[in-house]
Amino acid sequence: MTKQSLSASASLLTLALALTLGVAPAAQASDAAPAAQAWDARASDARGTSARTADGHAPGGRSHDGPAPGGRAGAVRISTAFGLPSAKAFPEGIAADPRTGAVYVGSYTDGTVYRARPGAREAEVFLPSGTDGRHTANGLRVDAHGRLWVTDSTSGVSVYDTRSGARLAHFEIQGSGPRFLNDLAITPDGTAYLTDSARAVVYRVTPDQLAAGSGPLLPAYDLSGRLTPSPAGSFSLNGITADPAGRYLLTADMTAGDLYRIDPRSGAVSRVALSGGDLKTADGLDLAPGGVLRAAQNTRNTLSRWQVSADGTRARLVRTVTDPSLQIPTTLAQVPGGRTLVVRSQFDKDGGPMPSTGAPTAFTIAAVRGL
């Protein structure tokens, strides 16, 4: 990617966030037990912890439980899982490899991909900035074969061997005009689905295309005519996640706060009926077995948990956690031990893509228990 395209990408994100948020512009693991122990040890680190009262509140933040069987849930605890070795990381994407316990984090501003090994207090550089011409890393995902998928917002998606770091495949967005490749999800059959926040489309890469190694990134679903009208230039589709059984995909319109269900077999697209809240500013999504959907709602500094119906047509808000220590959370991932890892992007600090509110602190990934 050229410096000009990176600059255009950053400008698009700044404008889209400003319009969206009302801001003034300026797979299965056999070694799950060892991995769980590593994450438990790591998250015991008290750096960045927000102390909470018995009802789940935190200084400067709040936790709220929606109506749910069994009454209120336990307190939510936020701590620091690990740090990133850069003063300019501005992370956005995260992916956990359940086979090895490794966690990968991508930098929006320079495309570096970091790797945190189990038990590490600080991540290491896995793919340096500029690798294969990449200068931004948005969505990340590790598939069932241990391959790391990394999106480049204005270009496409690359697939890497997590052992050697070698690039195995690359797929490019076609055409000209605004585009912002954002997040991705992978279904059990190995098909990847990727959102474009500027075009309101979902791209698809099949296992056969992956085996070919390269090709065009073509839309599979166009939602542009289905979305709630929003201000020109604002982002639409952002986070995307797959039902663990592969029956459907869920993707959020971060401007309108809506959630959409996509049936990969029939191609049917429908709006999910939300109750108890909305998904405005929803960035990352994670759907766990049992219909538990977690969302990172970035400039709200909020994490939310939803209960999705068995058929994926309805979702009920169960809990929200709002805390400034989340530092503009862009996405999240579940890891063994009942913890949720959350990316603290600090996009609103000097050097980030949003209007600045001051200098960034050290870049870290949060560990949240009880969400």
Side-chain angles (χ1 to χ4, degrees):
M1 179 188 294
T2 65
K3 290 183 178 179
Q4 288 81 1
S5 63
L6 178 59
S7 176
S9 175
S11 298
L12 177 59
L13 178 58
T14 301
L15 177 60
L17 287 172
L19 291 171
T20 299
L21 310 171
V23 178
Q28 303 299 314
S30 60
D31 57 349
Q37 293 170 1
W39 283 113
D40 285 341
R42 181 185 303 167
S44 66
D45 174 26
R47 293 175 297 157
T49 299
S50 294
R52 291 183 175 271
T53 61
D55 64 356
H57 286 69
R62 64 185 184 275
S63 174
H64 171 72
D65 296 317
R72 294 182 64 85
V76 172
R77 289 185 289 159
I78 303 174
S79 61
T80 293
F82 56 86
L84 301 177
S86 171
K88 300 179 180 180
F90 293 101
E92 181 168 11
I94 191 168
D97 186 344
R99 306 178 318 151
T100 65
V103 174
Y104 299 85
V105 178
S107 167
Y108 170 74
T109 53
D110 70 10
T112 301
V113 175
Y114 303 95
R115 177 175 59 192
R117 299 178 186 273
R121 298 286 184 142
E122 185 162 309
E124 61 188 1
V125 173
F126 176 64
L127 299 174
S129 174
T131 301
D132 300 314
R134 187 192 61 256
H135 292 283
T136 181
N138 296 55
L140 276 72
R141 194 76 62 177
V142 177
D143 66 22
H145 296 281
R147 297 171 296 214
L148 175 65
W149 296 64
V150 182
T151 67
D152 181 325
S153 60
T154 63
S155 174
V157 61
S158 294
V159 185
Y160 292 92
D161 186 322
T162 52
R163 293 168 295 182
S164 67
R167 187 164 77 166
L168 305 174
H170 179 69
F171 301 90
E172 288 275 350
I173 299 175
Q174 301 299 290
S176 59
R179 79 278 298 276
F180 197 96
L181 192 63
N182 208 324
D183 202 1
L184 74 155
I186 301 174
T187 51
D189 68 356
T191 303
Y193 296 88
L194 308 95
T195 57
D196 190 321
S197 298
R199 297 180 173 181
V201 300
V202 175
Y203 304 103
R204 176 174 55 206
V205 178
T206 67
D208 287 344
Q209 290 171 316
L210 179 60
S214 65
L217 196 56
L218 300 174
Y221 308 102
D222 186 344
L223 280 70
S224 59
R226 298 175 176 267
L227 304 183
T228 301
S230 58
S234 57
F235 274 5
S236 55
L237 304 181
N238 196 330
I240 188 169
T241 187
D243 164 47
R247 297 168 300 167
Y248 57 84
L249 304 162
L250 296 176
T251 183
D253 177 351
M254 70 178 300
T255 299
D258 295 325
L259 185 67
Y260 288 85
R261 181 189 188 276
I262 299 173
D263 187 326
R265 288 163 292 189
S266 68
V269 177
S270 58
R271 185 181 301 176
V272 176
L274 302 180
S275 61
D278 61 57
L279 282 164
K280 289 181 178 179
T281 78
D283 205 326
L285 301 178
D286 180 87
L287 183 60
V292 177
L293 175 68
R294 295 175 174 88
Q297 295 177 257
N298 51 37
T299 56
R300 289 182 172 183
N301 278 324
T302 293
L303 307 176
S304 55
R305 187 176 83 226
W306 302 74
Q307 183 60 50
V308 179
S309 62
D311 60 3
T313 61
R314 303 180 308 280
R316 174 175 54 86
L317 181 63
V318 175
R319 157 164 277 194
T320 61
V321 177
T322 300
D323 196 308
S325 75
L326 295 171
Q327 298 178 304
I328 316 293
T330 50
T331 194
L332 69 179
Q334 292 299 110
V335 294
R339 297 185 184 277
T340 304
L341 297 186
V342 180
V343 174
R344 290 164 160 162
S345 75
Q346 298 194 68
F347 275 1
D348 62 339
K349 301 302 181 183
D350 293 349
M354 293 173 57
S356 176
T357 60
T361 60
F363 287 98
T364 62
I365 301 301
V368 179
R369 179 182 285 278
L371 175 63

